Amino acid sequence: MPPFSLVTPTSVEEAVAELRTVAPGEVAVLAGGTDLSFDLDRAGPSLRRVLSLRRLPWRTLDWNGPVLTVGSTLPLRSLEEDPGISRRHPGLYQAIRAVGGVPLRHRATLGGNLGRASPASDLLPVLLVLDAEVDLVGPAGSRSVGVDRFLLGPRRTVLAHDELIRSVRFPEPRPSAYLWQRVRPANDISQIAVAAAFSPSERRWRLAVGGIPPRATRLPDAEQRLASSVAPTDPELRPMAEEASRQLPIAGDRRRASEEYRRHLVGVLLSRAVRAAAAHLSEGAR
Amino acid sequence: MTHRPLSIAVNGTARSLDDVPDSERLLDTIRWRLGLKGTKEGCRSGECGACTVLVDGVSTLSCLTLSREVDGTSLTTVEGVADDPVGKEVAEAFARAGAVQCGYCTPGFVMALVGLLKERGRSATVEELLADLGGNLCRCTGYLSIARAVALLSRESP
């Protein structure tokens, strides 16, 4: 590994100032390190600094009425263990459980997952259907960006060189589900993954797909097919599944699975995810 | 580059380590600097769980962790649980079930299980424990004997 130096600022101001002292390619931001570590091994001599967020006061989880705010460096395992998550955001809970094993989730973070923007991320599809907002902090102050706008492409986000992810906000609990298909169930990357959530305030379904390049993405045309039906019946799900299969943006990509297989899977998994989310809803909106 | 010494309590003994580079992984510190070879290097990419240790009692993949990130913490390796009541229970369960074949994955399984049992005692079902061991790979046993050992540590076990 290259001899970079590790910096562990104790305040946000110090962290942002530190980012401004080095050129963009010379610094990497470290949250849990479960994904960044691969890059640290391969990094050339241009990587001079690794900025660790571990001393910043961002390992937080707050419920404020319906709004859930998760600090960017809270370990995923802590989020998973909060009883409110499985109850109020079941899809988020399922997506977290799909990330690595327990020891990995003791270090992996929501902020790291967003900042690294892996096309294979298990969390991004669910963040999309929950309309999560990403709170950023930089030299000019704070700003918030919806996840859909935050993600630009594989490993690319709107995060400026001198900005950090402070927290992620979820505006309301939603009946939701996350489902994936893999070669091996544990510790594998999904060939395709889907998320579905019903917004009670807007009475609308949101659908997203992940595990495919270039990035996790919403499927608005498939969403349209579900209209405002809280518990879609099989005849209502079929056009949604067909639309999702057509709309899936994976032309030509054969990594991990063929295009044909993925087009088939996306419809099957989305139908199951919508049914699972609707089942949560019928258990009583909580 | 000059560094402060790295202070960690290793299996209950305070240690101060000089000249640990910022880029060094905890796995390498444990095996090569501390000479504790019970912790294994498997994939070095967070996929196999062979390098699992406890940091402040919490199971952690030492291959994905920079040593400097655990400065000031308490580290427990497989050598450190031999005399621990939970560690003994896990070792006995593995022995009774014959859950060890080549043995390379065993320290990782033991540490992940010790971490889970310390987290929630005997409250977990076999199914829950097995799901939470999904990050540990074994290429010899076919998992059946490991699952039998896990069953002995579950809530269903008398």
Side-chain angles (χ1 to χ4, degrees), chain A:
Chain A
M1 268 199 284
F4 56 79
S5 62
L6 183 72
V7 195
T8 52
T10 52
S11 73
V12 180
E13 297 72 24
E14 199 189 325
V16 169
E18 184 64 42
L19 286 173
R20 291 169 75 83
T21 62
V22 272
E26 296 178 350
V27 62
V29 176
L30 171 68
T34 53
D35 186 50
L36 179 70
S37 295
F38 300 95
D39 284 5
L40 294 184
D41 277 341
R42 287 193 303 257
S46 63
L47 182 70
R48 291 171 51 204
R49 211 70 55 86
V50 171
L51 183 99
S52 163
L53 304 181
R54 86 180 139 102
R55 291 206 166 97
L56 298 187
W58 290 346
R59 293 187 173 215
T60 54
L61 188 157
D62 294 299
W63 291 97
N64 186 0
V67 182
L68 166 67
T69 307
V70 180
S72 66
T73 59
L74 184 78
L76 292 182
R77 179 67 171 169
S78 306
L79 189 53
E80 165 189 350
E81 298 268 272
D82 184 274
I85 300 297
S86 53
R87 199 162 41 84
R88 303 175 85 185
H89 288 296
L92 179 60
Y93 176 79
Q94 290 153 8
I96 292 169
R97 296 276 303 174
V99 178
V102 171
L104 184 134
R105 296 202 295 276
H106 275 141
R107 294 197 82 79
T109 67
L110 203 49
N113 204 279
L114 274 161
R116 299 283 296 163
S118 163
S121 163
D122 280 297
L123 301 179
L124 299 179
V126 171
L127 297 191
L128 283 170
V129 297
L130 295 178
D131 286 306
E133 289 274 320
V134 191
D135 301 320
L136 309 177
V137 58
S142 302
R143 62 174 177 139
S144 292
V145 185
V147 170
D148 208 13
R149 279 190 46 229
F150 178 83
L151 297 172
L152 293 178
R155 304 291 188 189
R156 281 176 50 238
T157 72
V158 300
L159 199 63
H161 159 59
D162 51 7
E163 273 184 316
L164 293 167
I165 303 170
R166 187 186 54 207
S167 50
V168 182
R169 267 177 304 119
F170 300 89
E172 61 176 359
R174 287 180 185 171
S176 54
Y178 179 71
L179 295 172
W180 41 259
Q181 179 69 28
R182 296 171 175 179
V183 175
R184 296 174 302 175
N187 255 9
D188 201 0
I189 288 173
S190 303
Q191 294 166 311
I192 198 156
V194 305
F198 185 78
S199 163
S201 62
E202 293 174 30
R203 301 199 63 76
R204 273 204 51 189
W205 284 94
R206 282 168 177 69
L207 306 173
V209 60
I212 51 158
R215 47 157 281 192
T217 183
R218 287 265 297 272
L219 298 171
D221 296 336
E223 289 174 5
Q224 289 294 326
R225 302 294 173 116
L226 289 179
S228 61
S229 173
V230 178
T233 58
D234 286 355
E236 288 171 307
L237 287 171
R238 211 162 297 128
M240 176 281 292
E242 282 162 12
E243 186 59 50
S245 173
R246 262 196 302 277
Q247 207 187 341
L248 192 68
I250 48 158
D253 183 80
R254 284 181 199 86
R255 273 169 289 188
R256 292 192 292 279
S258 71
E259 181 178 334
E260 187 189 13
Y261 184 49
R262 279 166 156 164
R263 285 198 191 281
H264 172 70
L265 277 177
V266 71
V268 173
L269 292 180
L270 274 172
S271 299
R272 287 183 197 163
V274 169
R275 274 192 223 107
H280 280 288
L281 194 64
S282 65
E283 280 168 31
R286 286 170 291 190

Side-chain angles (χ1 to χ4, degrees), chain A residues 1 6 52 77 106 187, chain B residues 22-23 47 59 69 119 132:
Chain A
M1 268 199 284
L6 183 72
S52 163
R77 179 67 171 169
H106 275 141
N187 255 9
Chain B
D22 283 0
S23 57
E47 287 172 26
S59 61
E69 284 284 278
E119 200 172 282
D132 280 349

